[in-house]
Amino acid sequence: MSRILLLSPWCPPPDGVGFHSRSLVESWRAAGHEVLVITSGSPEPEDSSPRADNNGIHVLKILGMLPRGTAARALHSYRPDVVIVQFTIASQSTTLLSTLRVMNVAKRSGVPVVVAFHEPSRELNRLGPLTRWIYRLAARNTSTPVAYSPAGAAALMKAGIFASVADVPHGSTPFREVSLSDVAEVRDRFAITAPLVLSLGFAHPDKGTELLVSSIREVDRRLKGDVQFLIAGSARQRRGIFRLMGRTDQRFHQMLMERISELSDVSIDVRGFVPEEDVAALLYVASAVVLPYRRATQSGMANLALGAGAVIVASDIRELRGDLGPAARYFRSGSVADLSETLESVLKSPQDQLRSAAVARASERSFDVTAERLLDVGLVGREVS
């Protein structure tokens, strides 16, 4: 069994990478490995011992804006067999320097450092030279780089950051039956009385949510009003200088709200963050979960939908096909007309085959598979150029 030190954002607050990390830790612990999580926080000097969270996971909240000796001392004290870093500029933002410092200490100590890049395509497109500079800093102290999709691996190599990158499945939550009581409660709380079209996740222009909004009136007409829409999510809260990145998301979210306000004659429920305990039931209850992405590296929401056995309607882009395979109905990316037609088709007939395909796909790409693969590539200790 191995001792794993994980550097990552953690929940709360709500964060896709944090949820992803928690699922990985649960898989490692179930396999008998020991895990310590180091994440952001500003403890007093005497308050630097790991605390068990509600899931019994040992977490040290000690990464701040500037590197401190506390994290390096924790690494030396813990003596891990491998350090695994969940790396994303957007989520780590103000803890980047501290994260890089711990990576440096680990590698100089001879500990393999696996760095999993979550959003290389998006970050390279959005921040260009700044992303390349930050990634090159990370590369200096990386033993094995990982991407969670072939597209992410290709982006890192095309940018000249690494000569080779390990491609590891993103991970899906295994399917669990949703209880009838949970289904009834969610239907009642969200006032679901008709087939539901669902969109969840942080607002971002790449996610193409405006395509769904533009299709709503046509889908409502085709279904003669026997359909409901739930759009949940808000702009991600950024910190430090990365608030500049958040302005684009905020403008996008404001534009969505303005467009939705013009659809007062259609049944639309607009919400911000949906509590984690409601997500699985909503995905299960929905008649269609829509992923209208224009661009992606991979999609955490796609993998959540797979784990819920959801009926998924997705834009036909390579990255989503890589995640979803045969477990989705695809529409032509960017086409409101094709999305409307696809939604009509899905909502008018049972989709048991799609639900079964989602459950099977989730099993093939489970977090157990991802956790084992990350550990394998780390313990091999392969150096990269």
Side-chain angles (χ1 to χ4, degrees):
M1 295 299 102
S2 301
R3 294 166 67 86
I4 303 165
L5 190 148
L6 178 68
L7 289 173
S8 175
W10 200 250
C11 297
D15 179 89
V17 180
F19 288 128
H20 183 269
S21 292
R22 191 179 64 195
S23 296
L24 288 175
V25 173
E26 289 170 350
S27 292
W28 283 321
R29 293 176 74 212
H33 302 295
E34 185 178 333
V35 186
L36 172 65
V37 179
I38 293 184
T39 191
S40 62
S42 300
E44 296 299 322
E46 66 273 12
D47 190 28
S48 58
S49 299
R51 299 288 183 88
D53 69 3
N54 292 335
N55 297 291
I57 298 169
H58 290 103
V59 181
L60 262 176
K61 297 185 177 182
I62 55 176
L63 294 180
M65 182 175 294
L66 296 176
R68 291 192 289 256
T70 313
R73 288 194 296 273
L75 184 145
H76 287 306
S77 174
Y78 185 62
R79 303 174 72 178
D81 297 307
V82 62
V83 172
I84 296 178
V85 186
Q86 299 275 57
F87 202 92
T88 163
I89 296 171
S91 291
Q92 284 161 316
S93 60
T94 56
T95 66
L96 276 171
L97 292 178
S98 295
T99 299
L100 292 169
R101 171 61 178 161
V102 178
M103 290 166 57
N104 177 263
V105 171
K107 197 172 185 193
R108 284 194 292 108
S109 301
V111 181
V113 180
V114 178
V115 182
F117 293 86
H118 274 255
E119 300 179 338
S121 299
R122 179 179 296 170
E123 292 182 337
L124 285 164
N125 287 335
R126 289 285 298 277
L127 295 176
L130 176 59
T131 295
R132 285 191 289 274
W133 178 69
I134 292 172
Y135 282 7
R136 287 192 177 106
L137 291 177
R140 294 176 184 174
N141 298 299
T142 297
S143 304
T144 304
V146 166
Y148 288 121
S149 71
L156 288 167
M157 290 185 287
K158 183 178 179 180
I161 310 299
F162 299 103
S164 62
V165 179
D167 174 18
V168 173
H170 181 274
S172 292
T173 303
F175 177 73
R176 297 184 180 90
E177 287 286 352
V178 180
S179 70
L180 292 178
S181 61
D182 285 346
V183 168
E185 182 183 348
V186 162
R187 284 189 178 279
D188 181 62
R189 187 143 36 86
F190 288 84
I192 301 169
T193 58
L196 178 69
V197 175
L198 176 65
S199 171
L200 290 175
F202 286 116
H204 191 287
D206 285 358
K207 293 188 176 181
T209 315
E210 82 282 1
L211 298 171
L212 174 59
V213 173
S214 296
S215 75
I216 283 177
R217 195 178 297 281
E218 176 62 18
V219 175
D220 185 74
R221 184 191 68 78
R222 291 176 182 231
L223 275 294
K224 297 182 170 53
D226 187 27
V227 61
Q228 291 177 247
F229 299 86
L230 171 56
I231 298 176
S234 57
R236 187 195 298 269
Q237 295 300 309
R238 313 281 188 176
R239 294 177 293 173
I241 64 170
F242 298 98
R243 289 177 182 170
L244 296 173
M245 292 174 60
R247 290 180 183 174
T248 301
D249 296 351
Q250 291 164 2
R251 287 194 294 268
F252 177 73
H253 186 252
Q254 182 178 355
M255 177 271 292
L256 288 178
M257 296 303 101
E258 290 171 354
R259 290 193 184 183
I260 290 171
S261 69
E262 298 170 359
L263 299 169
S264 57
D265 56 327
V266 180
S267 179
I268 307 175
D269 186 1
V270 180
R271 305 211 175 199
F273 175 72
V274 172
E276 182 185 3
E277 58 269 20
D278 290 337
V279 171
L282 274 175
L283 290 168
Y284 181 83
V285 165
S287 298
V289 177
V290 185
L291 303 172
Y293 294 12
R294 294 180 177 275
R295 288 173 293 274
T297 300
Q298 73 279 321
S299 169
M301 186 51 62
N303 287 287
L304 279 175
L306 289 175
V311 176
I312 304 169
V313 173
S315 54
D316 193 359
I317 60 175
R318 181 181 61 170
E319 295 80 7
L320 287 182
R321 276 198 178 269
D323 274 351
L324 299 168
R329 281 286 300 275
Y330 296 97
F331 68 93
R332 191 167 65 255
S333 178
S335 171
V336 173
D338 201 25
L339 171 56
S340 301
E341 184 176 330
T342 304
L343 278 173
E344 179 191 18
S345 173
V346 165
L347 294 170
K348 279 187 171 180
S349 59
Q351 299 295 325
D352 293 341
Q353 186 174 355
L354 267 186
R355 290 190 182 275
S356 297
V359 172
R361 186 73 172 175
S363 177
E364 294 168 4
R365 298 169 57 84
S366 72
F367 275 107
D368 289 346
V369 172
T370 302
E372 181 180 5
R373 178 83 174 117
L374 284 171
L375 193 54
D376 284 346
V377 300
L379 294 178
V380 166
R382 178 169 59 89
E383 293 290 325
V384 298
S385 56

